[in-house]
Coordinates of all heavy atoms in Angstrom, one line a residue:
A209 N 38.6 25.8 -35.1 CA 39.6 25.2 -36.0 C 39.1 24.7 -37.2 O 39.6 24.9 -38.3 CB 40.5 24.2 -35.3
F253 N 57.3 52.0 -35.9 CA 58.2 51.0 -35.3 C 59.1 50.5 -36.2 O 60.3 50.3 -36.0 CB 57.3 50.0 -34.7 CG 58.1 48.8 -34.2 CD1 58.7 48.9 -32.9 CD2 58.2 47.6 -34.8 CE1 59.4 47.9 -32.3 CE2 59.0 46.6 -34.3 CZ 59.6 46.7 -33.1
A271 N 60.8 49.6 -12.6 CA 60.4 48.3 -11.9 C 61.5 47.8 -11.1 O 61.3 47.3 -10.0 CB 59.9 47.4 -13.0

Side-chain angles (χ1 to χ4, degrees):
F253 175 78

